[in-house]
């Protein structure tokens, strides 16, 4: 068993280089280094509010004042965050043609900000909003401006329908991105899991679609025993070191 950190970095880099097709699967742990608390830890968002009320479709539609005083505050907070070394490293692997894309549980937009081009955002995103009546899309800033003017719930300028964020809330169906991600993994050899506890369904089943698995997470996951390599380290530093080793091996 490989125990030395530097040796594991070298093996991870070689796995990525030799893989015919690789994807990353990211969770909240990759974004904590950008100042975003995760949702379930002792310091996470859900310790301050009930998630079923905070980010619920039912509450959004039936009790919008509560939604915009709780769940919306989380979404608004995410828009001001910046990507960290982990996001940047994955975008670099994609640029080097060694990563086919990113599947993310996160709604913080940080992969897009870091330069990742191929993303499957299986829990949605907070860049945009849409009307639940006519489907017209707007930038998130439109919702922010309306809420600041105390227009609750915000209404569509086109038809007067209710606007909602492009996030998957409790009570929503999984988006098309999830099925697209599953289809991608059916032909993927290596999955790099970063910052996910792999305890939230149905995303926690995705590692079972691949033959090779690297897990980078600060705490153990249920899939650690099935992984080729496991790093219980900070995501940013680990991914940065892997990219550096990839470049060293390839003489870049």
């Amino acid at each position: 068993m490989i125990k030395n950190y530097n040796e594991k970095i070298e093996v991870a880099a070689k796995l990525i280089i030799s893989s015919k097709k690789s994807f990353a699967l990211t969770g909240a742990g990759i974004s904590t280094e950008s100042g975003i608390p995760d949702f379930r830890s002792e310091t996470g968002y859900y310790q301050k509010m009930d998630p079923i009320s905070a980010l619920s479709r039912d509450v959004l539609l039936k009790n919008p004042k509560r939604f915009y005083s709780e769940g919306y505050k989380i979404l608004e907070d995410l828009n001001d965050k910046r990507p960290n070394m982990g996001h940047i490293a994955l975008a670099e692997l994609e640029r080097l043609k060694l990563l086919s894309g990113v599947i993310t549980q996160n709604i913080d937009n940080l992969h897009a900000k870091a330069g990742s081009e191929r993303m499957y955002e299986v829990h949605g995103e907070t860049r945009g909003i849409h009307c639940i009546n006519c489907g017209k899309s707007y930038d998130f800033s439109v919702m922010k401006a309306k809420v600041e003017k105390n227009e609750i719930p915000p209404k569509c300028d086109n038809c007067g329908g209710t606007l909602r964020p492009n996030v998957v809330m409790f009570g929503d169906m999984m988006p098309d991105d999830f099925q697209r991600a599953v289809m991608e993994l059916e032909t993927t050899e290596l999955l790099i899991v970063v910052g996910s506890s792999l305890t939230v369904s149905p995303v926690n089943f995705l590692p079972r679609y691949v033959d090779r698995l690297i897990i980078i997470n600060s705490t153990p996951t249920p899939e650690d025993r099935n992984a080729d390599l496991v790093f219980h380290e900070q995501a940013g530093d680990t991914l940065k070191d892997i990219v550096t080793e990839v470049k060293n091996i390839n003489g870049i």
Side-chain angles (χ1 to χ4, degrees):
M1 183 177 180
I2 304 169
K3 294 183 178 180
N4 179 276
Y5 175 80
N6 290 332
E7 186 180 355
K8 287 203 293 184
I9 291 293
E10 181 181 356
V11 173
K14 289 180 178 178
L15 278 174
I16 292 170
I17 292 169
S18 64
S19 173
K20 295 177 181 177
K21 181 180 178 182
S22 301
F23 255 86
L25 169 64
T26 65
I30 194 174
S31 294
T32 54
E33 295 170 55
S34 292
I36 299 174
D38 65 25
F39 283 84
R40 290 173 173 80
S41 73
E42 293 181 358
T43 58
Y45 282 122
Y46 287 171
Q47 300 306 311
K48 300 178 182 179
M49 61 185 73
D50 175 10
I52 297 178
S53 296
L55 288 170
S56 161
R57 174 184 171 86
D58 192 54
V59 171
L60 170 71
L61 298 177
K62 295 180 180 179
N63 191 357
K65 287 187 177 180
R66 183 172 187 180
F67 176 83
Y68 283 98
S69 66
E70 295 182 2
Y72 169 77
K73 298 298 183 182
I74 295 175
L75 308 183
E76 186 180 34
D77 180 57
L78 294 177
N79 269 268
D80 295 327
K81 304 302 183 183
R82 306 304 304 170
N84 60 56
M85 288 189 298
H87 302 99
I88 293 168
L90 291 178
E92 178 72 353
L93 285 176
E94 186 180 2
R95 188 187 69 80
L96 294 171
K97 308 298 184 185
L98 294 173
L99 193 69
S100 295
V102 175
I103 302 164
T104 185
Q105 298 171 270
N106 300 334
I107 58 174
D108 53 33
N109 310 313
L110 295 186
H111 287 297
K113 290 179 180 179
S116 290
E117 295 186 2
R118 195 174 186 186
M119 299 173 294
Y120 296 98
E121 295 165 307
V122 299
H123 289 163
E125 42 81 11
T126 54
R127 295 184 297 279
I129 62 174
H130 67 276
C131 174
I132 64 174
N133 184 45
C134 71
K136 184 174 180 179
S137 297
Y138 300 86
D139 188 81
F140 188 86
S141 62
V142 172
M143 175 172 280
K144 184 175 181 179
K146 288 178 178 290
V147 172
E148 288 174 354
K149 294 176 182 177
N150 205 34
E151 184 181 324
I152 296 176
K155 297 294 184 181
C156 175
D157 294 333
N158 184 53
C159 73
T162 298
L163 297 175
R164 62 157 290 174
N166 294 344
V167 299
V168 178
M169 300 184 191
F170 290 90
D172 282 336
M173 298 279 289
M174 290 294 282
D176 291 342
D177 265 16
F178 180 74
Q179 292 304 323
R180 294 189 184 106
V182 169
M183 292 177 65
E184 285 283 7
L185 291 186
E186 288 176 347
T187 58
T188 293
E189 180 179 339
L190 171 67
L191 184 65
I192 307 167
V193 177
V194 186
S196 176
S197 63
L198 296 176
T199 57
V200 178
S201 296
V203 174
N204 59 329
F205 292 104
L206 294 181
R208 302 180 187 183
Y209 284 87
V210 300
D211 294 327
R212 312 304 296 267
L213 185 62
I214 297 173
I215 296 177
I216 304 169
N217 197 55
S218 59
T219 58
T221 81
E223 293 293 330
D224 283 8
R225 65 184 181 276
N226 299 320
D228 295 83
L229 288 171
V230 177
F231 294 87
H232 290 154
E233 312 282 350
Q234 290 292 312
D237 287 336
T238 305
L239 285 169
K240 180 182 178 182
D241 290 343
I242 289 173
V243 171
T244 297
E245 183 63 18
V246 164
K247 290 181 175 180
N248 287 339
I249 294 172
N250 283 344
I252 300 175

